[in-house]
């Protein structure tokens, strides 16, 4: 389980404050904390300031909105040092925004590992797997579950 960080109450706003003081943070693991869509939206401005982040684990954090896919896409564009992005265990629903996320993954300069939720459209996952097979890209593994 997680630390019970939720967007209700004070835990996510407190984490935002802490993240703003840690611009050199390299690893953030929020998995199994029910921050949800609202919490991700609250965290995203602070996460964008963590420019040295290499691992972002958002597995099983209760993301359900297609808007969260857009937030993750924006984070991918901002966090160019990110190597591992974990999103499995969330259900954002099949989204028209999947294409934006996959485009951001393909354009990312250093991403190596990606864990996608099952809600991502299968054609986008297939495209990313083909992309990962290209030896000139940094992306090595795309997990889908």
């Amino acid at each position: 389980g997680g630390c019970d960080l939720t967007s209700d109450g004070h835990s996510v706003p407190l984490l935002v404050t802490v993240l703003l003081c840690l611009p050199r943070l390299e690893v953030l693991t929020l998995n199994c904390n029910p921050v949800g869509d609202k919490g991700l939206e609250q965290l995203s401005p602070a996460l964008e300031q963590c420019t040295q982040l290499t691992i972002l684990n958002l597995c099983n954090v209760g993301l359900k909105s297609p808007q969260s896919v857009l937030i993750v896409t924006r984070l991918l564009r901002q966090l160019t040092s990110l190597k591992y992005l974990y999103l499995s265990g969330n259900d954002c629903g099949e989204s028209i925004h999947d294409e934006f996320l996959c485009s951001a993954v393909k354009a990312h300069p250093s991403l190596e590992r990606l864990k996608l939720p099952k809600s991502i459209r299968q054609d986008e996952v297939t495209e990313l797997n083909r992309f990962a097979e290209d030896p000139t890209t940094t992306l090595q593994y795309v997990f889908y579950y």
Side-chain angles (χ1 to χ4, degrees), residues 14 75 83 118 122 127:
L14 181 60
L75 287 172
K83 291 182 186 261
K118 281 192 169 193
Q122 183 60 46
E127 176 65 26

Side-chain angles (χ1 to χ4, degrees), residues 53-145:
L53 200 62
T54 58
I55 299 173
L56 179 57
N57 187 335
L58 297 172
C59 291
N60 300 301
V61 296
L63 303 180
K64 295 182 178 165
S65 165
Q67 183 65 26
S68 290
V69 175
L70 287 178
I71 292 171
V72 171
T73 300
R74 189 175 69 236
L75 287 172
L76 263 174
R77 291 190 176 124
Q78 294 289 324
L79 302 174
T80 57
S81 61
L82 202 62
K83 291 182 186 261
Y84 302 149
L85 175 61
Y86 303 132
L87 300 168
S88 60
N90 294 294
D91 185 7
C92 299
E94 200 167 284
S95 169
I96 60 167
H97 306 309
D98 292 353
E99 186 176 332
F100 298 127
L101 175 63
C102 293
S103 293
V105 166
K106 290 194 277 187
H108 199 278
S110 60
L111 195 65
E112 295 176 10
R113 293 179 186 246
L114 177 65
K115 287 185 180 178
L116 292 168
K118 281 192 169 193
S119 59
I120 297 290
R121 290 192 336 250
Q122 183 60 46
D123 60 322
E124 297 295 343
V125 174
T126 301
E127 176 65 26
L128 285 175
N129 277 314
R130 270 194 229 116
F131 179 75
E133 291 172 1
D134 182 341
T136 64
T137 69
T138 58
L139 189 61
Q140 299 169 2
Y141 298 101
V142 178
F143 300 96
Y144 175 66
Y145 56 92

Side-chain angles (χ1 to χ4, degrees), residues 15-41:
L15 181 56
V16 167
T17 302
V18 170
L19 288 174
L20 289 171
C21 296
L22 298 170
R24 293 191 199 134
L25 184 70
E26 293 180 13
V27 176
L28 182 61
T29 299
L30 294 175
N31 64 311
C32 299
N33 282 288
V35 296
D37 301 309
K38 182 179 173 186
L40 180 62
E41 188 173 344

